[in-house]
Every structure is written in C-alpha cells, then in structure tokens.
Amino acid sequence: DMRSNSLNVVVGAALGGFVSDATAPSVSAVTVNMNTSSIELVFDETIDPATVVVTALTVRSGNITLLGAESYSLSDGSTTSPVGERLLIQLTKDDTDGIKALRSLAIDSRSSVLQLSARLVTDMAGNALPATADVVSTLYVADTTAPQVISFELNLNEGYLQAQLDETVDEASLDAGSLKLAPGDSSSG
C-alpha cells in the first residue's frame, strides 16, 4: 500500500461468493445549459459512456398531458465523457434550434423535464435505466449569448433584407426600425 505495508496472502482461502451488480443506475442531478447547448446528467454509480444513445432522450416542458405542453426528442448529439458518474451530452445545432423554437420548452428548470428511455445508457455491469425515468432539471442555465448575423442579402429590386443568424430567434422580437445599414470597408486586404 502507500505506507509500505505488505500484503498478507492466505493460501487456500475460499471466497465467500460473488454477487453481481443487478441494480439499475439512477439520475441524481441534471443540468440543462442552453448557453452551451449541453445537458449534464449525474448518476448514482459509474456508467459506461460507450453505451450512450442520445436519441433516447426527450426534453419536455412539464407534464405532457397538460394542454400546451411541448416536447422535443433529440435527433443526434455526442459525448466525450470518460467512464464515471457524469455524462455530458453536447446538443447538435439542429436540436438546440429545435428546442429554442418551442416557446415553453427549456426556459427554466420546471420546463426542462428530461424523459429518459432505458436505452440512454447502461452502468458498467450492463444494467439499463428504469423503463421511463422522468427527471426535472436541478440546475438550469439560460441562453445569454446574443445571436450573431452570419450573412445577409439586400435586394433593392424586390425591397427586402434577409439575414441568416447563428441560432433560432423570435421574429416577433425584431424591431425593423432599429436596423441601420452603414458603409463598410469592402477591401479584402
């Protein structure tokens, strides 16, 4: 050991038996971070990130039987989490935009309920999550990053300005009177 104590070996000692892990993992905490487009799940035991199926996760705005409740099932995503109790899922741009397009979804902890299918992940012994576990986000981080213009097209013949932004936005929030066109440096130098 770390104190230079030697190992005491008992020859011929019989083991009392082996009990395999038959307990399903459970989620103890969830962080939904709309600013970094990620979801972190903390489990009560070590999980195997190689078994993650991101499409087995659905984000809901609460009780799905309520009128006006919204949900979004992930279509893709990735994780680079090592073996351990934490699983960080990086959302794709399409999934992030899909979630943000639904007005009552993932706007606070109460509207960030995760429906976890048993296929989402297994522990190191191969035990899956309970059939359908619903978990309310224990920590929610709002999107505080302003959208950025990626490109735009000004068509004077047809009379329109079309802009492409880097994320989904509420078009009703646009104040067209606040748009200003200014001459810029067109040199490529």
Side-chain angles (χ1 to χ4, degrees):
D1 70 6
M2 299 300 291
R3 300 281 182 206
S4 299
N5 295 315
S6 61
L7 176 64
N8 188 10
V9 177
V10 178
V11 177
L15 293 175
F18 174 77
V19 178
S20 64
D21 175 8
T23 305
S26 65
V27 177
S28 58
V30 173
T31 299
V32 174
N33 189 328
M34 294 307 295
N35 203 43
T36 61
S37 300
S38 64
I39 297 173
E40 183 181 49
L41 299 109
V42 179
F43 294 87
D44 65 342
E45 64 175 301
T46 303
I47 53 101
D48 183 358
T51 65
V52 172
V53 178
V54 175
T55 57
L57 192 149
T58 298
V59 182
R60 294 191 336 219
S61 62
N63 186 337
I64 202 66
T65 60
L66 293 177
L67 185 62
E70 296 179 306
S71 68
Y72 186 92
S73 295
L74 298 185
S75 63
D76 204 359
S78 63
T79 183
T80 55
S81 297
V83 170
E85 294 177 354
R86 294 180 177 273
L87 174 65
L88 181 66
I89 297 172
Q90 190 62 49
L91 304 177
T92 63
K93 178 172 176 11
D94 286 346
D95 284 342
T96 301
D97 286 346
I99 291 169
K100 288 180 180 181
L102 300 172
R103 293 183 179 270
S104 67
L105 187 60
I107 57 173
D108 57 24
S109 286
R110 290 184 321 276
S111 65
S112 301
V113 176
L114 301 185
Q115 182 177 357
L116 310 175
S117 152
R119 299 178 305 116
L120 179 65
V121 70
T122 66
D123 66 12
M124 297 306 291
N127 299 311
L129 289 171
T132 51
D134 289 353
V135 183
V136 177
S137 175
T138 49
L139 179 63
Y140 174 82
V141 179
D143 177 9
T144 57
T145 305
Q148 301 292 312
V149 175
I150 295 172
S151 64
F152 70 92
E153 176 185 350
L154 175 62
N155 187 321
L156 296 176
N157 291 328
E158 307 239 350
Y160 70 83
L161 171 69
Q162 180 177 351
Q164 180 181 2
L165 303 173
D166 66 345
E167 67 177 286
T168 297
V169 297
D170 180 1
E171 73 179 53
S173 69
L174 175 65
D175 177 11
S178 68
L179 294 175
K180 305 253 187 279
L181 296 178
D185 182 7
S186 61
S187 66
S188 59

